[in-house]
């Protein structure tokens, strides 16, 4: 399933953060090369009909995980990266994380580098933050799914590394 259209507010927020609009002192630095997926290969996808109640149930992400070994080879090859990669240099990441209703399709997977920062460790921190925000009712699941799929780095800068 493709992600539903985002709200105008989220698009304005993500666009303004990504472009540095509203910054008084200086524009934020662009995301390091390699930190962002190729959106034509990895636009992000969610499980159809997934709800906040489901993703906020303990153990949901573990039960939803079903990435097949051949997907590692397919996704890495689509990005021109040899698999297996040197240990710790990449992780096959869900652009929209499982804990936020992302699915296991190749269109939601990409080889995310550890370095330069922010890499997969920092995105994992953002995923945890957003999951808690959805489960506490501070943020809506659909908005978060769309935001992380289109501008995860901007959300990281807003919430964890201003």
């Amino acid at each position: 399933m493709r992600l539903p259209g985002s709200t105008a507010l989220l698009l304005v927020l993500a666009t303004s953060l990504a472009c540095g609009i509203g910054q008084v002192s200086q524009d934020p630095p662009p995301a390091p090369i390699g930190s962002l997926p190729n959106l034509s290969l990895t636009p992000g996808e969610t499980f159809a009909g997934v709800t906040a109640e489901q993703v906020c149930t303990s153990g949901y992400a573990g039960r939803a995980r079903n990435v097949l070994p051949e997907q590692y080879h397919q996704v890495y090859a689509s990005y021109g990266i040899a698999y297996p990669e040197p240990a710790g240099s990449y992780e096959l990441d869900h652009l929209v994380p499982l804990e936020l209703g992302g699915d296991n399709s190749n269109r939601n997977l990409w080889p995310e580098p550890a370095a330069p920062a922010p890499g997969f460790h920092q995105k994992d921190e953002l995923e945890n933050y957003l999951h808690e925000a959805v489960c506490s009712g501070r943020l809506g699941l659909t908005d978060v799914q769309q935001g992380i799929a289109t501008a995860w780095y901007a959300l990281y800068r807003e919430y964890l590394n201003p």
Side-chain angles (χ1 to χ4, degrees):
M1 167 184 145
R2 286 195 181 266
L3 288 171
S6 67
T7 64
L9 176 62
L10 184 61
L11 279 178
V12 169
L13 171 65
T15 303
S16 66
L17 287 171
C19 296
I21 298 170
Q23 299 291 323
V24 174
S25 59
Q26 64 182 25
D27 290 339
I33 294 175
S35 294
L36 302 176
N38 178 333
L39 293 180
S40 67
L41 298 172
T42 312
E45 291 191 356
T46 62
F47 285 113
V50 71
T51 66
E53 181 180 1
Q54 290 171 306
V55 302
C56 295
T57 300
S58 180
Y60 169 82
R63 290 188 303 276
R65 182 174 301 280
N66 187 24
V67 177
L68 304 174
E70 58 265 21
Q71 287 181 275
Y72 283 78
H73 294 279
Q74 294 164 353
V75 172
Y76 276 76
S78 71
Y79 276 84
I81 299 171
Y83 183 82
E85 78 289 355
S89 58
Y90 290 89
E91 81 172 14
L92 188 65
D93 192 30
H94 290 78
L95 179 57
V96 179
L98 292 171
E99 65 193 285
L100 293 171
D103 73 14
N104 296 296
S105 76
N106 287 7
R107 292 176 52 82
N108 194 43
L109 298 171
W110 63 296
E112 183 177 15
F120 65 76
H121 295 292
Q122 292 77 26
K123 184 170 176 284
D124 288 347
E125 291 174 27
L126 175 65
E127 293 168 4
N128 293 335
Y129 175 88
L130 293 174
H131 181 259
E132 191 280 323
V134 166
C135 295
S136 69
R138 292 192 326 268
L139 295 173
L141 179 61
T142 303
D143 290 342
V144 167
Q145 290 170 335
Q146 184 67 33
I148 202 164
T150 59
W152 84 261
Y153 179 72
L155 293 177
Y156 173 76
R157 295 270 312 157
E158 177 185 1
Y159 293 119
L160 300 179
N161 189 27

